[in-house]
Every structure is written in structure tokens, then in C-alpha cells.
Amino acid sequence: MKQRVEKIFALLDPKPDAVVLANAVDPHLDQSFFYLFEVPAGLFEGSVAVAHPDGELDVLSSPLEAETAFEAAKHDPHVKVHVVNRDETEDAVKQLLAPGGTYALNHRELTHGWFVQLEKLLPQVKWTDASDAIRKARATKEPHEIELLRKAAEIGSEVGREIPGLLKTGITELELAAEMEYRMGRHGASGRSFSTIVAFGPHGAEPHYSPRDTPLKPGDSIVCDFGAYYRRYASDITRSFHFGPRDAEMKEVHDTVFAAQEAALAAVRPGVPGKEVHNAALQVIDASRWKGRLNHGVGHSIGLVVHDGWGYGPKVEDPLEVGMAITVEPGIYLPGHGGVRIEDDIVVTPDGYEFLTTAPREYREVPA
Amino acid sequence: MKQRVEKIFALLDPKPDAVVLANAVDPHLDQSFFYLFEVPAGLFEGSVAVAHPDGELDVLSSPLEAETAFEAAKHDPHVKVHVVNRDETEDAVKQLLAPGGTYALNHRELTHGWFVQLEKLLPQVKWTDASDAIRKARATKEPHEIELLRKAAEIGSEVGREIPGLLKTGITELELAAEMEYRMGRHGASGRSFSTIVAFGPHGAEPHYSPRDTPLKPGDSIVCDFGAYYRRYASDITRSFHFGPRDAEMKEVHDTVFAAQEAALAAVRPGVPGKEVHNAALQVIDASRWKGRLNHGVGHSIGLVVHDGWGYGPKVEDPLEVGMAITVEPGIYLPGHGGVRIEDDIVVTPDGYEFLTTAPREYREVPA
């Protein structure tokens, strides 16, 4: 997409002759390839994109996905698709790049193997790194991207509203996760944006816990952290519930996390350093009797991947900008007992922020 | 796992002081990290593993997944987990590596960004590439890995048997894909091993087609290519069906692909170059009236990822070895009309091969 190529070049100084993005084998695909080449689906293993300063984009596609590639290119007059077999890729790259040119790569998403291959293929080329410019370009979303993120967030929110109806004694973490992912698919997701976390009782104390065969039992707290892909854009939402009977401490923990999230949200506006949003949540938690129980940064950017290149914790000076899509996700974790995390996706607006996720965040107790 | 570390070192000459695997941000995770550190779930973004020649493994884990990491390490006396925050990772790496040592990396799965960071961190170190040794070590599976692959394949097979019962006029490609993925989850998958392909009618002519809102209509051919993850191991199965009324040509196409797959399977045994398996299938197709309609290699290795580092087409001399798990997946693609592909997962045995997938492969017509 011309506008995005130009956005990246505007952030590069000095300007390279082109920006080169190269995919290896799944999962080692450069998601920025899909930022510039808006093909709604497809794997594109081994594909290469060459973005030129005038906004034009050359894409090498394998014959396996040629029709999908041509159809996407039909909608964009600035994209030219070349169909090449894997063993023709090197020659095709050579034809697109000048032997003595300066080309920028995306170090954050290129495999070192591809780099070594490119260096050998074009020994006279000067290679530079465009990854910061690419990350920055991707961080502030266009209205069209925000609509895709909103749709992904809405799919997650619908499932968030449905979870209470799925809770029953004996359902396992894995079964609940499968049910949630199925519902995301039925609501229009092309897949989950990351491995669904469902944590019952003490498991909720580990932020990146992975679901097992643990059955739900009365008195358990429940943390569900999940997200959908919609046309390659990700959502990321966490909802915490309680399976009755009430646990007075966990109710209070939930209310504290809710207050921490509200404080963080209130700090969100353009120009504010990321750490201020983090610290707003942290202060609420550290003023409670669960001081020290928040052990991670309060959020990160979302976009073509769920961790879209930027996160904010206590030391992050980078300011929020209009159009950034981020999560706000404080939590309190009590080893041996349980956890509560509340996570929403928002987009930074000139006045503050706007929610992308819409499911209720308040304490919700489901009777066992 | 000591045995796997030793398997990699046995393939390295000269021996480095250690093999270093480093994960970036999802999806840029080195799957070989999970080959050496058998942690059944978890993301481990930013984690590093250092494998020593004596089989010992140091793992740097973030606090977010510390419990999962410790629990996995409990089962393996040769793994030592160190919990470090992201900003402590560089110091921890420095403590594990000697400034003047020789360390091998996995170029195929390491980001170039990580490489640049390591080079700067340890400028005296000599970095070498272990990716071929790692690929080869991973290619021949242990009995325990084969059991995990078999379980992943069985989950795919169960869904393969269920697909005919899901076909009805009007169901869309995306709905069928969501239903298939849900069923994999219910049968015990931790997720899909790649984006499910469901292609109706003419869409089946594109091997890597991605499902859309296309409704199923009488007379459509159907290609379903999908797979499950079970404890990080992948399956990959394709089943093709016909939604009645019969299309005489597509019936014949199916029978031809079936015969091609049988011919390829008959060629499988240790020592046979990959190209011979490919060519056995190709000869059947090129002897039919659909000559030239197979446009991809007939298979690839499977393991911790669905494309596990090796594929075979008409030029591949590498021989099959006992313990290799591979797909056998010929197809015929008729632009504007449809396609048929049949894909099974097998493991190479001393005498030939054994099926991992078990769903029926024969022509199956479902009345509309």
C-alpha cells in the first residue's frame, strides 16, 4: 500500500534505495510484509516484498498462492506481483535490487538465515536496518486499520459476554478454551491471535499460564485471556470471573484491579509517556493490601500481531500518539490462590481514548 | 533434554562451546527452543536457551511463565531454569557465555535483530551456524515424539471422518473451517497447526487457498487441509470430498490422486532419495489426462512445526531415514473447476512406513 510505504520512508534518514522484507517458513513470517501487501489471507512462505521510495511495491509470490496474491493486487495499482518458484527466488531478488545499492531490512522480523543468504547473493549491497521506522509506522493506525481492530475486538467482546454462560462445575480449562475459540470463529474470526489462556483457581496467579485438564470447581477464580484475528488484525482481551460461592478476598482484588484499570485509562492521552499509564495503575495496586502483586507492564501495542512492537512499563518514556492501539491490562496475582486481570483494547484519540473492546469489566460472580 | 542436545552436538564439527537459541516476540520464536526444553505450553517470548556439550541446558525464562518453566524442569534433571526480567536478559546471557568462546546459533529461526544484539553484547565471541545440525536432529523422531505426532494425527483424522456429516448446502468455507477447528480442540488439540484451508468448487484449484464466505453448493468439489497441535507436535492432513450430484471428471481426478498417493507411499523406505517419492506420484498424474496439474512438491517433514525443515520435490536427493515423519500429498488442480489433494502423515520405518493419519482417503460423495 503506497501510503504505508511512504510512511516508512518518511521515517528513514538517510533513505535507502528500497526496503526489503523477506519471509522464511511459518512461523517466521515478517508481519510487515502483510502491512505493505494487504492480502487478507494466505501464508506466503518464502515470499519477498521490495518497497520503493515512490510507494511502489514488488511482491514475489509462490505459485501456491498466486491467485490470492493477484486478487489482492487488483485492488492496489501500486503493487506488482511476480510469481516465482522457490528456486527462482534468488534470481528474482537479484533482478529487483541493484548490485551497489543501499537496502533496508526489517531486523526484528527477518531471520538471520535470510540475512546471510542476501549478503552472499548481493555482496556489494549496503544493508541497513529499517525496523524502527517500520515499527513506528505500524504503531499509529489508519482509520481502516482501526475498523479492522474494532471488528477483532468486537469478536473477542462477544465471547467475553458469553463466558459466564459456559461456566459449570467440571468443565476443564482446555474445554473452555476450545469453546471460546470456536465461538470466535463463529463470530467471524479467521483464528485466535494467540494461545488462549484459561486459568482456574491458583493457576490464575501465573500471567502466561497455559490451560490444562483442570476441572472448574466451586470457589475458583477464573482468568480468560484471549483474542481474535480478523483480516490479519488482532484483539487481546482478558476477563476475570468468579465461580461461586464468593471469596471475599477475590472480590476485593477484582475491584482493586478495576480501579487500577480506570486510573490507567484516565491517564491515556496523546503525549503522555507510557510509564505514566503504567504507574497510574501501579499506584492503585501498591496503595492496596496487594502491594507488589502486579509483576508485568500494564500494556502493549496491538495490530498485525498481538504484541505489535511496543510495550509500556515503569521505565518507558515513549509518548502515546493519536492512532496508537494499545492494551490496558493491570492484574493482581496471588500465588497459591488465584489472580485477576482485566484487559481492554483502546485507541488513542486527540482527546484521550476510545474503547475497542466492549464486554463488561465489573466483578461477575457465576453461581456454581 | 540431554539426549537431544547430544544428538545436535554429534552432528556438529567442529564442536562449539555451546548452542544458543534465542526467542524474539511471537511469532518469531525458535521452535528448537521447545525441542530442547520440553515445556508443553507457554510462549517464552524473549527467552534464551544455552545447550552445553555435556547435554546440560540453561533456560532463561521471564517471570510471566516461571511456574510453567519450573514445572517442566522438574521432570528433567539436566535443565536449569533462571528467571530473569526482560531488561536482565543481556546480563544473564553474558554470564552464561565466555567472552572468547565459539557459540553456534540457529540461523533459520533466529531473528537478525537478535544476532546483531548478540554480536554487540559479546564482540569477541565467534558465532557459527548450527541450523543444519538442528534441522537434521529434529528430522528423525524418537518414539516419544512419534507418539505425540500420532496423537496429533489422530485428532486430525477424527475430524477428517466427521467432515462428511458437516456438509450441507449453504455452509460457508469459513464456517466449516471454524467447525473443524472446534472439533480438533474438543478432541484434545491445543490449537490448529496452521490456518485451515477449506476450498469449495473452483477455489480448490489453488493449493494454499484461504477460506472465505463462499457457500457450499451442489456439485462442488471440496478440499479440506488442516492439522492439530498436540503438546507442540503438529499434524497435517488433507481430505477431498464431492458434494453431489456427481461430477464425472472430479471422480476420476480423485481416483488418479489416490493412485498417485499409493505410488508415492509404495516408494517410501529408508535410503530412498526424496525425489523418488515425489516422482512416483508425478508419474501417475503425468500419465493421466491431467499431465502437468501437480504443481508442488509431494511432501515435507512434520514435527514441532508443520513445515519442519525439509521438503521433497523433483530435485531432492536427500534420502529418507528411519524415524522421519513426513507428509505424502499429491494433488491435481484444475483452474476454474476444482481440485483434489490427499495428504497423510507417515513415519519411515526400517521396512517402509507406517501411517499416522487414519481417516479414509477414497472418493467420498456426499449427497446435497
Side-chain angles (χ1 to χ4, degrees):
Chain A
M1 195 204 221
K2 188 167 195 280
Q3 184 188 335
R4 296 182 188 168
V5 173
E6 289 170 348
K7 194 174 177 187
I8 291 170
F9 273 95
L11 290 161
L12 288 168
D13 182 27
K15 313 284 179 210
D17 294 316
V19 173
V20 180
L21 305 176
N23 290 337
V25 174
D26 189 31
H28 304 288
L29 306 172
D30 187 336
Q31 300 305 309
S32 302
F33 175 93
F34 301 107
Y35 179 65
L36 297 185
F37 181 40
E38 280 190 286
V39 60
L43 203 51
F44 293 92
E45 286 184 338
S47 284
V48 175
V50 179
H52 304 277
D54 59 0
E56 301 294 309
L57 187 73
D58 285 293
V59 171
L60 307 182
S61 163
S62 104
L64 293 175
E65 290 161 314
E67 280 184 53
T68 299
F70 281 126
E71 185 160 324
K74 255 193 343 208
H75 302 291
D76 187 340
H78 303 286
V79 172
K80 191 169 173 194
V81 169
H82 314 258
V83 176
V84 292
N85 285 308
R86 190 158 300 189
D87 57 5
E88 300 164 341
T89 301
E90 288 202 346
D91 280 347
V93 169
K94 260 186 157 168
Q95 279 175 27
L96 289 170
L97 308 186
T102 298
Y103 295 100
L105 303 168
N106 185 16
H107 287 196
R108 290 176 61 250
E109 303 190 82
L110 181 76
T111 63
H112 184 55
W114 244 124
F115 177 78
V116 170
Q117 196 182 340
L118 287 170
E119 243 191 347
K120 197 177 291 178
L121 187 68
L122 292 156
Q124 323 269 286
V125 157
K126 188 180 165 208
W127 303 102
T128 60
D129 182 17
S131 54
D132 267 353
I134 291 170
R135 187 181 64 76
K136 279 182 192 143
R138 279 172 52 179
T140 55
K141 270 69 180 179
E142 306 148 15
H144 170 62
E145 292 183 285
I146 292 169
E147 288 320 303
L148 297 177
L149 286 167
R150 192 189 306 282
K151 178 72 184 162
E154 188 47 38
I155 292 167
S157 301
E158 285 191 58
V159 173
R161 287 187 284 267
E162 290 166 5
I163 293 169
L166 301 172
L167 301 177
K168 56 182 186 212
T169 300
I171 190 172
T172 69
E173 292 165 339
L174 280 167
E175 285 168 349
L176 180 56
E179 187 66 36
M180 288 162 56
E181 291 177 5
Y182 172 65
R183 285 162 183 259
M184 290 199 288
R186 295 294 297 195
H187 292 313
S190 63
R192 66 186 186 192
S193 56
F194 60 96
S195 281
T196 297
I197 296 171
V198 171
F200 294 161
H203 295 158
E206 187 181 18
H208 275 191
Y209 174 80
S210 299
R212 301 181 204 167
D213 286 325
T214 326
L216 184 62
K217 56 180 205 309
D220 275 348
S221 62
I222 298 157
V223 179
C224 299
D225 186 347
F226 58 103
Y229 269 128
Y230 181 76
R231 291 182 72 104
R232 296 198 191 276
Y233 281 79
S235 60
D236 186 2
I237 173 170
T238 307
R239 287 297 181 263
S240 297
F241 304 93
H242 194 77
F243 197 53
R246 179 163 299 195
D247 173 324
E249 181 176 12
M250 294 311 289
K251 162 79 169 81
E252 222 183 303
V253 166
H254 194 108
D255 293 343
T256 305
V257 174
F258 185 91
Q261 195 197 30
E262 289 284 290
L265 288 165
V268 171
R269 60 188 179 279
V272 166
K275 67 177 182 182
E276 287 191 22
V277 181
H278 176 90
N279 288 332
L282 186 67
Q283 276 162 26
V284 172
I285 290 168
D286 280 356
S288 77
R289 59 188 176 109
W290 298 285
K291 184 169 159 56
R293 291 303 185 184
L294 170 67
N295 61 359
H296 57 72
V298 162
H300 54 82
S301 57
I302 54 167
L304 286 159
V305 283
V306 70
H307 294 159
D308 196 38
W310 186 76
Y312 60 94
K315 295 174 196 162
V316 173
E317 302 284 351
D318 304 352
L320 298 179
E321 290 176 55
V322 172
M324 281 178 79
I326 61 171
T327 67
V328 180
E329 48 172 316
I332 291 178
Y333 306 95
L334 307 178
H337 190 176
V340 170
R341 181 166 61 255
I342 307 174
E343 175 182 31
D344 282 272
D345 301 341
I346 63 167
V347 59
V348 180
T349 62
D351 301 328
Y353 68 94
E354 187 188 345
F355 272 106
L356 297 174
T357 39
T358 61
R361 300 174 288 137
E362 292 80 5
Y363 180 75
R364 172 76 185 267
E365 194 173 299
V366 176
Chain B
M1 195 204 222
K2 189 167 194 280
Q3 184 189 335
R4 297 182 187 166
V5 173
E6 288 169 349
K7 194 174 178 187
I8 291 170
F9 272 95
L11 290 162
L12 288 169
D13 182 26
K15 312 286 178 208
D17 294 316
V19 173
V20 179
L21 305 176
N23 290 337
V25 174
D26 190 30
H28 304 287
L29 305 172
D30 186 336
Q31 300 306 308
S32 303
F33 174 93
F34 301 107
Y35 178 64
L36 298 185
F37 181 40
E38 280 191 286
V39 60
L43 202 52
F44 293 91
E45 286 183 336
S47 284
V48 176
V50 179
H52 303 278
D54 60 1
E56 301 293 310
L57 187 72
D58 284 293
V59 171
L60 306 182
S61 164
S62 104
L64 293 174
E65 290 160 313
E67 279 184 54
T68 298
F70 280 127
E71 185 160 324
K74 255 193 342 208
H75 302 291
D76 187 339
H78 303 285
V79 172
K80 193 170 172 192
V81 169
H82 313 258
V83 176
V84 292
N85 284 308
R86 191 159 298 191
D87 57 5
E88 300 164 342
T89 301
E90 288 201 346
D91 280 347
V93 168
K94 260 186 157 168
Q95 279 175 26
L96 290 170
L97 307 185
T102 299
Y103 295 101
L105 303 167
N106 184 17
H107 286 196
R108 291 175 61 250
E109 303 190 83
L110 181 77
T111 63
H112 185 55
W114 244 124
F115 178 78
V116 170
Q117 196 182 340
L118 286 170
E119 243 191 346
K120 197 176 291 177
L121 187 68
L122 292 155
Q124 323 268 288
V125 157
K126 188 180 165 209
W127 303 103
T128 61
D129 182 17
S131 54
D132 268 352
I134 291 170
R135 188 181 63 76
K136 278 182 192 146
R138 278 173 52 178
T140 54
K141 270 69 179 178
E142 307 148 14
H144 169 62
E145 291 182 287
I146 292 170
E147 287 321 303
L148 296 177
L149 286 166
R150 192 189 307 282
K151 177 74 183 160
E154 188 46 38
I155 292 167
S157 301
E158 285 191 58
V159 172
R161 286 187 284 268
E162 291 167 3
I163 293 169
L166 301 172
L167 302 177
K168 56 182 186 211
T169 300
I171 190 173
T172 69
E173 293 165 339
L174 280 168
E175 285 168 349
L176 181 55
E179 187 66 36
M180 289 161 55
E181 292 177 4
Y182 172 64
R183 285 163 184 258
M184 289 199 288
R186 295 295 296 196
H187 291 314
S190 63
R192 66 187 187 192
S193 56
F194 60 96
S195 282
T196 298
I197 296 172
V198 171
F200 295 160
H203 295 159
E206 187 181 18
H208 275 190
Y209 174 81
S210 298
R212 300 180 205 168
D213 286 326
T214 326
L216 184 63
K217 57 180 205 308
D220 276 347
S221 62
I222 298 158
V223 179
C224 299
D225 187 348
F226 58 103
Y229 270 129
Y230 181 76
R231 291 183 72 104
R232 296 199 191 277
Y233 281 80
S235 61
D236 186 2
I237 174 169
T238 307
R239 287 298 180 262
S240 297
F241 305 94
H242 194 77
F243 197 52
R246 179 163 300 195
D247 172 324
E249 181 176 13
M250 293 311 288
K251 162 79 169 79
E252 222 183 304
V253 166
H254 195 108
D255 293 343
T256 305
V257 174
F258 185 91
Q261 195 197 30
E262 290 283 290
L265 288 166
V268 172
R269 60 187 180 280
V272 166
K275 66 177 182 182
E276 286 191 23
V277 180
H278 176 90
N279 288 332
L282 186 67
Q283 277 161 24
V284 171
I285 290 168
D286 279 357
S288 77
R289 58 186 177 109
W290 298 286
K291 184 170 158 55
R293 292 302 185 186
L294 169 67
N295 62 359
H296 57 73
V298 163
H300 54 82
S301 57
I302 52 167
L304 286 159
V305 285
V306 70
H307 294 160
D308 196 38
W310 185 76
Y312 61 94
K315 294 174 197 163
V316 173
E317 301 285 350
D318 304 353
L320 298 180
E321 290 176 56
V322 173
M324 280 178 80
I326 61 171
T327 68
V328 180
E329 48 173 316
I332 291 178
Y333 307 95
L334 306 178
H337 190 174
V340 170
R341 181 167 61 257
I342 307 174
E343 175 182 32
D344 283 272
D345 301 342
I346 63 167
V347 59
V348 180
T349 61
D351 301 328
Y353 68 94
E354 188 187 346
F355 272 107
L356 296 174
T357 39
T358 60
R361 299 173 287 138
E362 291 80 5
Y363 180 76
R364 172 77 185 266
E365 195 174 300
V366 176

